[in-house]
Amino acid sequence: MTAAPPYLRYEEIRRSALADLDAYEKLTRDQAARLRLGRLRDHVAYALSASPYYSERWSAHRGTVIDHLDDIRKLPFTTKRDLREAYPFGLVAVDRREIVRYGESTGTTGSPTSSVITYEDWIRGNVAVERSVGHVFGPGDLVFVAIPYELAFASYDLDRALEQAGAGVVAVGTLSRVCPFERMVEMMWRVGPTGLVCTPSRALRLYDMLADSGRDPAEVGLRTFLYVGETCSPAKLAKIADLWGVRLSNAYGSTETNSLGLVCAAGSLHLTEDRHLFEVLDPETAEPVPDGTAGELVLTTLVSRAMPLLRYRTGDYVTVSGEPCVCGSPNRVLAHHGRVGEQLVHGGRRINKLALEEVVLSTEGTGLYWAAGITDDGLVVKVETENGDPGGLCAAVTRRVEDAFGLRPAVSPIDRAQVRRAMDRMLKPGSLGLDDLAAVS
């Protein structure tokens, strides 16, 4: 008898995925590593034979012996450039009839890249997201999902996971003509969501718009903010949590892979190591860094049938900790520090933008917004002031930045209205820079 197509086997696939996830979470670290090794062997062989890109470009690597997880280093890297060259279907390893979702990157940093997924992989990944969001959302919650739905996986993934967790979903999206920020603010006031999913910068913008309209944002009744799509310093997150009076949660992923980091019941962001093999490498030497040291995240898919990726350099700057989490998961904990390419470089010094944000926004008296960049005059920082002494605050920020990075910046107040105009026209407002401010001056 012919098996039913996957889309008619939803409950079967979901039950199997939940059972597999429960079994995996009970494994020790060593047992989980052995499971990954078996999956790695099978998946490398699969990618090198079934993916048009790998079978043609990496034919010399067929037969690569994988006896240890570190043997993945016998293979070269896959880069963003490779993905662009393979666009749209060069990396697809299945018949098009098996594709259930197709997505693309925003293209804000170059030509777009594509991604596809099969139905079973989509449901299995979604079950893991459901388990994660179920720690902070459930029946009685009404959640505004304010991230792009166009060409995206993440919004639909979270949308479906929230439903399965019992929450109600309001798919407001972002930068939409149907639901611009003004309408979203009005809806928040009238509908009263208990949850919000968006970038941290969007959450600040929505707060401002409510306050500017003469309304008290606290009266919306928001309880939980799940932030995605933007890295954020602890100082900025603390300001957001304090403003809204909410608890925070987050998720981490990419266009090419969907979810890569999910929060546990204890609030830690765990790598999805049951579905991916992760390496953390020095961005310049491509050598592994010690546990707990920041580096570039490199991933290899372990179960992706539609679009396997081998040693994909994500460009994300992260720290991975092997310290056990109180939740008992065998998966390591991730801290995301932004993009490798977003570091500010001046005079031979490299400054991580997120680390700079932490120093700036943790200075007493700073407001919600800031921007920085390198000009002919060196490091320039603009910051919002909350007190009546902008000169004194700018001097304090100057001292703290110089103490932290050994570089004396030029610090001046920022115009909040200018920031708002810049943010409202950006797909990714967290990457606000001096050029963005100049474009709306």
Side-chain angles (χ1 to χ4, degrees):
M1 181 181 294
T2 304
Y7 57 84
L8 295 180
R9 296 168 41 230
Y10 170 71
E11 288 299 335
E12 174 193 340
I13 294 171
R14 184 170 182 274
R15 284 195 301 270
S16 175
L18 285 168
D20 289 348
L21 192 58
D22 287 337
Y24 178 83
E25 289 294 330
K26 295 175 184 177
L27 298 179
T28 65
R29 286 266 172 95
D30 287 343
Q31 289 170 331
R34 287 196 292 273
L35 175 65
R36 281 195 296 278
L37 179 58
R39 288 181 173 177
L40 180 63
R41 285 196 190 105
D42 294 342
H43 203 65
V44 167
Y46 172 70
L48 293 176
S49 62
S51 167
Y53 178 87
Y54 290 121
S55 63
E56 178 183 342
R57 302 284 188 94
W58 291 24
S59 58
H61 297 282
R62 289 180 188 167
T64 297
V65 176
I66 305 289
D67 287 330
H68 307 280
L69 291 175
D70 288 345
D71 286 341
I72 191 64
R73 298 183 62 205
K74 295 177 180 178
L75 299 176
F77 294 112
T78 303
T79 66
K80 179 72 80 170
R81 179 178 179 180
D82 296 326
L83 268 59
R84 287 174 176 145
E85 290 180 354
Y87 174 92
F89 296 114
L91 282 158
V92 176
V94 296
D95 187 282
R96 287 200 192 188
R97 289 174 294 184
E98 292 193 58
I99 296 174
V100 69
R101 286 195 177 271
Y102 173 94
E104 292 192 3
S105 63
T106 58
T108 53
T109 59
S111 300
T113 60
S114 58
S115 183
V116 301
I117 196 167
T118 64
Y119 184 81
E120 183 162 352
D121 286 346
W122 171 248
I123 299 304
R124 284 184 168 274
N126 187 249
V127 163
V129 178
E130 172 195 335
R131 179 69 58 86
S132 178
V133 300
H135 297 311
V136 291
F137 295 114
D141 280 311
L142 191 61
V143 185
F144 273 39
V145 180
I147 55 178
Y149 275 75
E150 302 90 338
L151 297 176
F153 284 175
S155 48
Y156 291 99
D157 201 13
L158 286 163
D159 189 306
R160 184 172 193 143
L162 287 164
E163 284 184 355
Q164 290 296 329
V169 176
V170 184
V172 292
T174 191
L175 296 182
S176 164
R177 290 186 178 182
V178 175
C179 190
F181 286 138
E182 292 77 10
R183 181 174 182 180
M184 194 185 311
V185 166
E186 191 66 27
M187 287 179 65
M188 290 184 75
W189 184 252
R190 293 178 177 274
V191 175
T194 60
L196 175 64
V197 178
C198 66
T199 67
S201 293
R202 298 282 187 225
L204 289 177
R205 185 73 180 97
L206 292 169
Y207 182 94
D208 276 348
M209 292 178 73
L210 278 164
D212 289 348
S213 68
R215 295 155 170 166
D216 181 1
E219 294 184 18
V220 169
L222 201 65
R223 296 196 298 259
T224 306
F225 170 47
L226 191 157
Y227 61 95
V228 296
E230 177 189 326
T231 49
C232 202
S233 67
K236 186 173 182 178
L237 288 173
K239 288 176 184 286
I240 293 171
D242 184 59
L243 278 173
W244 279 105
V246 295
R247 61 176 173 176
L248 301 174
S249 187
N250 68 325
Y252 163 66
S254 73
T255 300
E256 297 80 17
T257 61
N258 222 14
S259 57
L260 295 172
L262 296 171
V263 168
C264 69
S268 299
L269 185 66
H270 289 271
L271 290 168
T272 53
E273 294 190 281
D274 55 327
R275 294 185 286 133
H276 303 92
L277 177 69
F278 295 99
E279 306 169 72
V280 182
L281 307 180
D282 184 301
E284 295 183 0
T285 67
E287 292 296 317
V289 300
D291 187 63
T293 302
E296 181 180 3
L297 188 69
V298 176
L299 68 87
T300 296
T301 56
L302 297 177
V303 293
S304 176
R305 289 192 63 251
M307 189 172 142
L309 292 174
L310 304 179
R311 301 199 80 198
Y312 174 56
R313 297 189 71 156
T314 65
D316 287 332
Y317 198 57
V318 307
T319 300
V320 174
S321 172
E323 288 295 315
C325 178
V326 295
C327 75
S329 172
N331 292 338
R332 294 171 296 168
V333 173
L334 169 77
H336 189 195
H337 308 301
R339 300 285 293 171
V340 171
E342 287 181 346
Q343 295 186 69
L344 300 174
V345 182
H346 180 69
R349 295 179 183 272
R350 289 183 175 273
I351 300 176
N352 178 268
K353 200 169 181 181
L354 207 64
L356 179 60
E357 178 179 274
E358 175 65 20
V359 171
V360 172
L361 294 187
S362 64
T363 303
E364 187 175 355
T366 55
L368 304 175
Y369 302 109
W370 78 294
I374 302 297
T375 71
D376 292 339
D377 297 323
L379 176 62
V380 174
V381 175
K382 293 183 176 292
V383 62
E384 183 184 30
T385 62
E386 285 189 332
N387 56 33
D389 183 17
L393 176 63
C394 289
V397 171
T398 298
R399 288 193 300 271
R400 296 195 72 216
V401 170
E402 187 173 16
D403 289 345
F405 303 105
L407 194 64
R408 187 173 181 82
V411 182
S412 60
I414 199 169
D415 177 31
R416 179 180 279 202
Q418 188 180 16
V419 171
R420 291 173 177 175
R421 292 195 301 272
M423 287 176 60
D424 287 351
R425 64 193 293 270
M426 295 177 68
L427 280 173
K428 297 181 178 180
S431 57
L432 188 68
L434 300 180
D435 291 343
D436 300 306
L437 294 178
V440 296
S441 60

